[in-house]
Amino acid sequence: MKRNITCLCSANFQFEYNDEIDLDVNPKILEEISKGTFMSSTCPACNKNHKPEFNISLIWKSKNLKMNVIPELERGEFYRNKKDVKDIETIISYPEMADRLAVIKDDLEPVVIETLKSFILAKAAENYPDKDINAWYHCNTDSGVEFHLDGIRVDEIAVMRIPKDVYEKTLLDYKKHPKNTNFTSLRVRSYMSVQNILRPDALK
């Protein structure tokens, strides 16, 4: 597909991309997503780098994944629309896409990771009530699951490591009690994310 991009310098240029991506066929896309270079484009007039978000579909058959990714700007529309897409997960924003793909690549359970994020952010809100904090999955190590938090201090990332046994216990709880509100509150139709808990009342 081709889309027009308008730069801050007022230049207009076309950006071409695939709106359906098979990650088994195009594994290099995974690397681009993880590095943050996916969908990057450069204005031919002023050389400013752009990272637009467009609607795309991802297929990863080896991981049994089908995902629709919609831009952050369409978050409110998703909540208000009330429509659902069966058998296809929805992800809102490219940062969440990168986060989810990293979780799946490391063979972790996304619901459990989002649950752990909710615990981390609840604690962060107690300690920093005036801060807008985000938690992102970073990696899975022998000592635990590592998350990075932004928003506590400008241009700084805080590291939080959840012990492996806490992950395993939460996974067991999810398998035994999937309808527990700790887990069901994370989902709004086809979209499962801690952001569903954090969304403003106007979008509930």
Side-chain angles (χ1 to χ4, degrees):
M1 292 188 68
K2 292 184 179 180
R3 296 285 291 270
N4 287 322
I5 294 178
T6 301
C7 183
L8 291 175
C9 73
S10 298
N12 289 286
F13 61 97
Q14 280 197 331
F15 179 67
E16 189 169 358
Y17 69 100
N18 292 324
D19 61 348
E20 294 184 1
I21 300 171
D22 187 324
L23 294 174
D24 290 310
V25 176
N26 299 286
K28 68 177 184 178
I29 297 296
L30 278 172
E31 184 176 356
E32 291 176 6
I33 292 172
S34 66
K35 288 182 176 180
T37 59
F38 179 64
M39 289 286 195
S40 290
S41 60
T42 302
C43 174
C46 70
N47 293 320
K48 177 178 174 57
N49 186 49
H50 292 263
K51 296 174 69 174
E53 291 191 0
F54 300 128
N55 286 275
I56 60 171
S57 296
L58 299 179
I59 301 172
W60 200 357
K61 292 181 180 179
S62 62
K63 295 291 187 178
N64 194 32
L65 172 71
K66 294 174 69 176
M67 178 190 297
N68 283 333
V69 184
I70 64 178
E72 178 64 41
L73 290 174
E74 295 182 15
R75 181 178 294 275
E77 181 181 345
F78 170 83
Y79 287 123
R80 289 187 289 266
N81 199 358
K82 306 296 184 182
K83 291 183 179 180
D84 203 1
V85 180
K86 293 183 178 180
D87 302 323
I88 301 178
E89 286 288 310
T90 294
I91 291 291
I92 303 177
S93 83
Y94 283 13
E96 277 200 89
M97 171 184 65
D99 183 283
R100 182 61 51 81
L101 291 177
V103 170
I104 293 171
K105 181 176 180 289
D106 289 346
D107 295 319
L108 298 175
E109 171 52 59
V111 174
V112 175
I113 294 299
E114 296 301 308
T115 302
L116 295 178
K117 286 182 188 178
S118 71
F119 298 158
I120 292 170
L121 292 174
K123 187 64 176 178
E126 291 179 8
N127 295 328
Y128 306 97
D130 299 325
K131 301 289 187 178
D132 184 14
I133 302 171
N134 294 301
W136 306 97
Y137 170 75
H138 182 66
C139 63
N140 185 25
T141 69
D142 291 338
S143 58
V145 181
E146 186 173 302
F147 296 85
H148 285 183
L149 281 68
D150 63 53
I152 297 177
R153 294 185 178 87
V154 177
D155 297 328
E156 289 187 17
I157 298 295
V159 177
M160 173 71 72
R161 186 173 291 113
I162 302 296
K164 190 63 67 70
D165 61 338
V166 175
Y167 171 85
E168 296 295 342
K169 180 181 182 301
T170 308
L171 177 62
L172 183 61
D173 287 345
Y174 172 61
K175 290 180 176 179
K176 287 184 175 180
H177 309 288
K179 294 185 178 181
N180 185 293
T181 55
N182 283 339
F183 309 121
T184 59
S185 62
L186 294 166
R187 180 171 289 280
V188 173
R189 305 189 307 280
S190 58
Y191 177 47
M192 191 281 297
S193 171
V194 69
Q195 295 301 321
N196 288 323
I197 298 175
L198 303 175
R199 72 190 192 277
D201 290 339
L203 294 178
K204 292 181 180 179

